[in-house]
Amino acid sequence: MASFRCPPELLLRNASRSAESASTASHGAIKRAAVVMEIGKPLEVQDLPVKALNPGQVRLSVKYAAMNFADILQSQGKYQSPQKPPYVPGSEFAGVVTEVATGVDGFRVGDHVTGILPEGTFQEEAVTTPQVLGVVPKSLDLKMAAGFLISYGTAYLAFTKGVPLREGDTVLVTAAAGSTGLAAVDLAANVFGCKVIAACGSEEKCRVAQEKGAFATINYGKESLKQRMKEITAGKGANAIFECVGGNLFRECLSRLTMMKYLKQLAKLIHFSIAFSGTLLPIGFTSGDIPTIPANLILVKNIRVVGVFWGSHAQRDPESFQASVQGVSKLLFEGKIQPRIGDVFPLDKVNDAVQFILSRKSTGKVLIDVQSK
């Protein structure tokens, strides 16, 4: 089972890159890499020097790198943790160990590994410490290994710590055909035994979410989320809302569906998409619009709002972080979850992959085939 003690996503990249550049040196070889040279500008594919291997490190051939929305926001200067160019973006990958230095236990040349590389993953080769890696079975498709950790880890943490789900609960997932949304659908429906309502922006994406286990779908490109939620749940709402979009969709998750008498002493109360004592789980804001929450709406329905930023748990709550990594790794290796790999782009087309995600065309995880010419 994979085990990681690493800084997830992009949280500690600055410190890690500085430490590595001070302790390693090029030994003449070069590697291809996509580099952020200027914030807000397209990535540049360049030849970079290959680093020497120091004691306690391993060398990796990066086969597939996952492109996450956080990577794009980072390159645009819109992420929570700013990164100063030039740098190699990407955090999540799968590859093969090609060299092991002295002082390293538990890894051998030829091992298939996955993990989160602080120095970036959109490059053909990387040198890193074993703490950021986990060995995966060679029977597992490396594409699957590259595309599950962050999305499934986020959803697992949300459903075990943010709101412990009970079998039979109703869960609404927005942006349900995206990588994190589909992971939430998969886990909620097929692992936790919940009734999942998937909200997507097109009929095609609704079909993808339904194939993953959603029992009902809402195409918010042409349907009213609040009206359809009222119809599907008979006015009861969802026990939990896994919300990835922000903006107007977030507000609809809390907005009025209908007016009803609740108590004789109160003439009217607002009935929400979320159930009484339900939990709203803000996961991200792919719309680019960070919404505000009217406190009176939270009060009236006794709603809990629990933010889920998976990356911060590595430092602040490593026990929960490790539990999420171990949990989803076990589920993947046992075949109980099935990450969807939507599209794969060669490294030279990395900017096409960025635009593909930004245009809302992607479903599941988008990968970069780093070795492809």
Side-chain angles (χ1 to χ4, degrees):
M1 186 188 309
S3 178
F4 308 95
R5 298 183 299 279
C6 61
E9 294 177 299
L10 311 164
L11 289 177
L12 297 182
R13 182 173 291 169
N14 285 331
S16 177
R17 281 170 56 87
S18 297
E20 287 184 0
S21 62
S23 63
T24 60
S26 169
H27 55 68
I30 59 172
K31 62 185 176 184
R32 295 169 70 246
V35 183
V36 175
M37 295 299 295
E38 185 177 348
I39 294 297
K41 299 294 184 180
L43 281 65
E44 297 183 15
V45 178
Q46 301 179 356
D47 289 335
L48 299 181
V50 170
K51 294 180 178 179
L53 194 66
N54 287 340
Q57 295 181 323
V58 297
R59 187 183 307 281
L60 307 166
S61 173
V62 179
K63 300 300 185 183
Y64 297 100
M67 180 172 286
N68 292 288
F69 203 77
D71 301 318
I72 298 175
L73 292 178
Q74 182 92 2
S75 70
Q76 296 176 337
K78 299 177 181 178
Y79 195 62
Q80 294 97 314
S81 305
Q83 173 69 14
K84 185 178 180 180
Y87 71 92
V88 176
S91 52
E92 192 176 19
F93 87 104
V96 178
V97 175
T98 58
E99 189 178 355
V100 178
T102 58
V104 174
D105 295 321
F107 292 88
R108 296 179 298 179
V109 171
D111 280 346
H112 288 194
V113 293
T114 185
I116 298 172
L117 293 182
E119 70 163 24
T121 57
F122 295 179
Q123 55 183 323
E124 292 177 324
E125 181 180 300
V127 169
T128 190
T129 57
Q131 286 81 5
V132 303
L133 305 175
V135 176
V136 300
K138 290 187 177 180
S139 58
L140 180 67
D141 187 338
L142 281 177
K143 294 188 184 73
M144 286 264 193
F148 85 101
L149 190 56
I150 291 178
S151 54
Y152 276 85
T154 298
Y156 189 93
L157 186 73
F159 293 151
T160 54
K161 184 179 181 183
V163 52
L165 290 181
R166 299 164 298 181
E167 187 174 354
D169 278 353
T170 299
V171 179
L172 169 65
V173 179
T174 64
S179 60
T180 306
L182 269 183
V185 172
D186 194 4
L187 284 171
N190 301 315
V191 175
F192 295 100
C194 297
K195 296 180 291 184
V196 178
I197 303 169
C200 307
S202 70
E203 290 299 328
E204 179 185 358
K205 291 183 176 182
C206 284
R207 284 193 294 272
V208 169
Q210 200 160 27
E211 290 170 359
K212 189 58 71 178
F215 91 99
T217 61
I218 301 172
N219 179 357
Y220 51 68
K222 65 178 184 180
E223 297 178 297
S224 166
L225 176 71
K226 55 186 180 182
Q227 185 59 37
R228 286 288 290 130
M229 280 297 294
K230 177 183 176 182
E231 295 167 358
I232 295 169
T233 67
K236 295 179 181 179
N239 301 105
I241 297 178
F242 189 90
E243 213 294 287
C244 305
V245 179
N248 291 331
L249 195 64
F250 182 96
R251 286 182 276 272
E252 275 207 63
C253 288
L254 288 173
S255 68
R256 180 170 59 191
L257 290 178
T258 184
M259 303 303 291
M260 60 179 293
K261 290 184 178 179
Y262 187 66
L263 297 173
K264 290 182 180 179
Q265 296 91 331
L266 300 175
K268 293 180 179 180
L269 281 177
I270 298 174
H271 188 61
F272 305 107
S273 296
I274 194 166
F276 184 84
S277 294
T279 302
L280 179 66
L281 299 159
I283 307 300
F285 311 107
T286 60
S287 68
D289 180 1
I290 299 177
T292 57
I293 306 173
N296 64 310
L297 301 187
I298 299 172
L299 171 67
V300 168
K301 294 287 286 186
N302 289 270
I303 295 168
R304 293 197 317 147
V305 180
V306 181
V308 182
F309 181 24
W310 183 71
S312 64
H313 284 75
Q315 290 178 289
R316 298 178 179 273
D317 187 1
E319 184 176 344
S320 294
F321 176 75
Q322 270 299 319
S324 70
V325 171
Q326 297 287 340
V328 297
S329 297
K330 184 174 186 292
L331 290 168
L332 179 66
F333 300 163
E334 293 176 351
K336 294 180 179 178
I337 56 176
Q338 297 291 328
R340 176 185 173 89
I341 305 304
D343 291 87
V344 182
F345 291 80
L347 185 63
D348 286 336
K349 300 292 184 181
V350 64
N351 291 303
D352 291 347
V354 171
Q355 292 306 314
F356 186 72
I357 293 175
L358 291 177
S359 66
R360 305 289 192 257
K361 294 178 180 178
S362 61
T363 59
K365 186 72 77 172
V366 172
L367 300 183
I368 303 300
D369 183 347
V370 180
Q371 302 295 329
S372 177
K373 303 296 183 182

